[in-house]
Every structure is written in C-alpha cells, then in structure tokens.
Amino acid sequence: MSAANPQFRLVTSVYQKTLNAYLYIPWNSCHSNDSKRAWVKGELIRYVRICPKESDFAKIQTVFMVRLRERGYPGRWLQQIFEEIKYKVERLTALKPIARDNATGDPVLHVLKLTHNPIWDGLDLNPLWREFNETWKEFGMGYPELQFMASFKKPHALGDRLNTINRETLNTYHTSIAAPV
C-alpha cells in the first residue's frame, strides 16, 4: 500500500460522545459577546477542518445551531456568525500547516499582561502591536511574523481585599490562641 495510491483515502468525521450533554456556555453567562463569538467561530472552523464533505459540515452545523439555540443563543446573532464561515473558503486555509517561527516549532507569541478595564473592551490594539513591531525592528529584534496578544487578568475588587484582610486577621487570632502558655 503506497501513501500516494489514489485508491486509499483517509476519511474523517466529527465524533460526538453519546453521553455528551453539550452544556455550552449559556447565552446569559457573564462571558463577553466577543468571547462567545470567538469560541462559536472556532468550533465551526474545527468542523470545517474535520468534515471532508460540505454536506457533512452542513449537517453538523445545523445540529450545532440547534444546541446553541437550546442554550439561549439568539438566532439572528448566531446566523450572522454562521454566515461568516464558508466551507469552501475556510477549508482551503483550515488544512494548511501553521508556519512555525522558532526551533521548538511553536509560534512566537509575545503576550502583554494587563489588568482588565472595561474601557478597553472597544479599544483596537492593532496600532499598539504595529508600534511594538516597528520599535523592535528598529532595535534589530523584530521580524515581519512577530505576533502580539493581550491577556487580561481580573482586577482586584474590594471583596478580594477584604477576604485577604479577614484571612490575615483570622490567622493572627488563631496563632495567638494556639500559642503555648
């Protein structure tokens, strides 16, 4: 059997466990619409990559839509996202290997760690990434494939600070009453 033999083809399909409850993130969760949109698109692209035929993709796409509607997702919102993912267009890029930039084979990704601020929700960070790239090139450290990403952590809330103070107070109290006499 030769790998180049056209009689033999590897055929894939989406496997879904029978006991899977498909408890996707509910629409009314505190996740941002951008987060929900990103994972829905990501799942659709994964289906494009796995399904060898457009008809297989159409079937799983319909099932996925029904499951999301059952989790409270608005139909029009979903329809807009589903229309963005075209099987014939995505299939061409979904099967291409990802270019790797270093010896380990991992993409070089520079992460800017920030504390979340709601003001940044509508902020386009692309000009910032371009400026970083230009500055790095100027100092001989950059190259065209340089990638940047922002990672946001939850800001400290008053409740977090009170919990820390309460824990310290309780530890001090327990230490004082447990001290040998």
Side-chain angles (χ1 to χ4, degrees), residues 15 72 84 120:
Y15 175 77
E84 290 177 25
W120 295 343

Side-chain angles (χ1 to χ4, degrees), residues 103-171:
T104 63
D106 296 328
V108 174
L109 183 64
H110 300 281
V111 180
L112 181 62
K113 297 178 183 177
L114 303 167
T115 301
H116 181 262
N117 184 332
I119 293 171
W120 295 343
D121 287 345
L123 187 65
D124 178 18
L125 294 176
N126 285 324
L128 179 63
W129 304 147
R130 281 192 293 277
E131 186 63 33
F132 279 165
N133 206 349
E134 291 303 316
T135 302
W136 283 36
K137 282 181 191 173
E138 185 178 326
F139 290 98
M141 299 170 61
Y143 48 92
E145 295 81 26
L146 204 55
Q147 296 179 11
F148 295 96
M149 180 179 106
S151 174
F152 297 100
K153 68 178 181 178
K154 181 184 116 186
H156 290 286
L158 178 59
D160 297 330
R161 294 189 178 154
L162 289 174
N163 286 337
T164 302
I165 292 169
N166 287 340
R167 184 175 50 246
E168 290 169 358
T169 303
L170 285 172
N171 285 341

Side-chain angles (χ1 to χ4, degrees), residues 10-153:
L10 177 64
V11 178
T12 60
S13 65
V14 176
Y15 175 77
Q16 298 185 323
K17 295 179 180 178
T18 54
L19 294 178
N20 190 341
Y22 303 101
L23 298 177
Y24 301 121
I25 299 168
W27 176 253
N28 60 358
S29 77
C30 291
H31 291 79
S32 70
N33 282 353
D34 288 338
S35 293
K36 293 175 200 169
R37 176 184 194 79
W39 82 260
V40 169
K41 282 182 78 170
E43 190 70 358
L44 289 169
I45 292 169
R46 186 176 77 85
Y47 290 154
V48 166
R49 190 174 56 251
I50 294 171
C51 295
K53 296 184 217 160
E54 192 169 1
S55 60
D56 295 339
F57 173 70
K59 287 177 191 170
I60 195 68
Q61 186 182 31
T62 302
V63 170
F64 186 46
M65 170 79 82
V66 169
R67 289 177 181 149
L68 290 173
R69 294 286 291 135
E70 288 172 353
R71 297 294 286 168
Y73 284 74
R76 286 186 183 161
W77 186 86
L78 285 172
Q79 194 62 40
Q80 288 175 345
I81 296 170
F82 277 56
E83 287 174 359
E84 290 177 25
I85 307 300
K86 304 288 185 212
Y87 181 84
K88 290 179 180 175
V89 174
E90 292 294 333
R91 183 86 174 155
L92 295 173
T93 57
L95 297 177
K96 287 185 180 176
I98 298 170
R100 303 297 179 184
D101 296 331
N102 61 17
T104 63
D106 296 328
V108 174
L109 183 64
H110 300 281
V111 180
L112 181 62
K113 297 178 183 177
L114 303 167
T115 301
H116 181 262
N117 184 332
I119 293 171
W120 295 343
D121 287 345
L123 187 65
D124 178 18
L125 294 176
N126 285 324
L128 179 63
W129 304 147
R130 281 192 293 277
E131 186 63 33
F132 279 165
N133 206 349
E134 291 303 316
T135 302
W136 283 36
K137 282 181 191 173
E138 185 178 326
F139 290 98
M141 299 170 61
Y143 48 92
E145 295 81 26
L146 204 55
Q147 296 179 11
F148 295 96
M149 180 179 106
S151 174
F152 297 100
K153 68 178 181 178

